[in-house]
Amino acid sequence: MSDDEVDHELIALLRKSLGIGGGAANPGAAETKVLENSQYVFDNAIDVALDPTKTKEAAETIWSQMQKKEYTTSSWSEHELHPKTKDENTVDFIFTMDLLNFSFWSAETSEKRFAIEYQGKKWTGYWSLVAALQRALDEGIEITNPEFWANEEECTEELLRHVFRSATAEEMPLLQERLECLREAGRVLCNDFDGSFTNCIYSANHSAAALVNLLAESFSCFRDEAIFQGRRVRLYKRAQILVADLWACFDGESYGEFHDIDKITMFADYRIPQMLHYLGCIKYSPPLETRIRKHEDIPSGSNFEIELRATSIWCIELIKREIELKHPEVKSAKTNGHSDSNGISKPNGHSRGPSQNSNGHPIDSQGQPSGLFRRHSRHSSASNARPGTGVGINAILIDFFLYDTMKELENDGQETIPHHRTRSIWY
């Protein structure tokens, strides 16, 4: 072999050792670099800062309130819109869902914003996506089939407009971009993974980090990266939330079994920065805060946006570490692979927002108004979790909790600052 020739076997070995391109030779070695990159952005940020004292105070408040709510991964399927089965069809649904899980915010009033009418209710936000997918399946449209996405004669923009037809005058945002995501994913899955996302899961060998890396490498629509001060940084919101949904739906078993689930960070979008600002954990420079309060667009990939997202990721990591420091039994429970009597898992519904009634207010699985901090009369969630599926605390759970909290504050008119507005396929 000459010096100019490429050693493909060596490259393949190196890629596997990094947890990309089909799993890691040592799955435990796979790293997404999201946390490391987020710390770099935070260390060099100009317009977003952290308040250490408020962050520590928030950690104790968050942990205390999480104990009052009953979380369990088994409740993922309880929401009326989520799949009830635990099979490959469910994996297909989750992949489709998170492939298109971006940019639902609207400048319209609640009555005029994009909404899907399904089973006698109107659904907005994330739930509008899930409702539209379920409605399409009911109509016999193969909306979760990669072969269908790759067929440009069948999966047309006209058909997608039908799938996402709105109950209001406002259309689904970024509809053309969603079609492009479907077509790319269809081509990649059919060409490289025998037409099934389950083969991506198998390639990752039960490593959450390896699966995130595989998604980002194989699908450009999952490659949520940006350049910040001359360095490429990874944020990978949708790739990570896809792994989290699999973990939650399958209770950490079967297609949702990941030995390194705690390598997943929070999911950097609009609501967590807003909630962290509400808690006093993060602060904005006057120019950035002015733009947010005036509802001015913040361009995707701008320093403002990267600092908002990355600093939020790092802040949630610090909150998690503070909880583990003050409550060492939590870390022990996580390390041992099971939860103690205070163990908690995923809240009811998806990681992005509580269920809503036709008026847009949160409801629980029985259709009753959801009180954010109300005490539940049910038995402890830990007693309902199967052995080995519970966890102590991780960034996923904190993200779930804070997102639902922010939505509740919004519905009660208690927002202290709007969320930032960035129209993007990344979140």
Side-chain angles (χ1 to χ4, degrees), residues 35 45 85 180 238 260 349:
L35 188 62
T85 58
E180 292 171 3
R238 286 193 298 111
D260 58 349

Side-chain angles (χ1 to χ4, degrees), residues 16-17 19 23-31 203-210 259-260 263:
K16 284 188 175 183
S17 71
N26 176 10
E31 298 289 345
S203 294
N205 197 18
H206 301 295
S207 168
H259 61 78
D260 58 349
K263 288 184 178 180

Side-chain angles (χ1 to χ4, degrees), residues 56 319-329 331:
K56 290 182 178 181
I319 287 172
K320 178 182 74 74
R321 293 180 184 181
E322 181 68 14
I323 292 173
E324 291 177 341
L325 178 65
K326 294 295 180 63
H327 303 276
E329 73 280 2
K331 190 172 184 178

Side-chain angles (χ1 to χ4, degrees), residues 251-268:
D251 293 324
E253 299 179 348
S254 180
Y255 295 114
E257 180 184 353
F258 300 106
H259 61 78
D260 58 349
I261 192 65
D262 289 346
K263 288 184 178 180
I264 301 300
T265 71
M266 63 79 73
F267 316 118

Side-chain angles (χ1 to χ4, degrees), residues 307-352:
E307 289 184 20
L308 278 166
R309 299 180 71 199
T311 302
S312 298
I313 291 173
W314 185 242
C315 185
I316 295 301
E317 173 66 17
L318 295 180
I319 287 172
K320 178 182 74 74
R321 293 180 184 181
E322 181 68 14
I323 292 173
E324 291 177 341
L325 178 65
K326 294 295 180 63
H327 303 276
E329 73 280 2
V330 176
K331 190 172 184 178
S332 174
K334 181 178 65 179
T335 302
N336 294 335
H338 63 275
S339 60
D340 60 13
S341 59
N342 291 323
I344 55 178
S345 298
K346 189 182 186 299
N348 179 44
H350 184 260
S351 52
R352 278 289 170 259

Side-chain angles (χ1 to χ4, degrees), residues 113-127:
R113 68 177 297 185
F114 169 77
I116 293 292
E117 192 164 347
Y118 180 63
Q119 294 185 343
K121 298 180 182 179
K122 286 184 180 179
W123 305 90
T124 60
Y126 159 76
W127 294 111

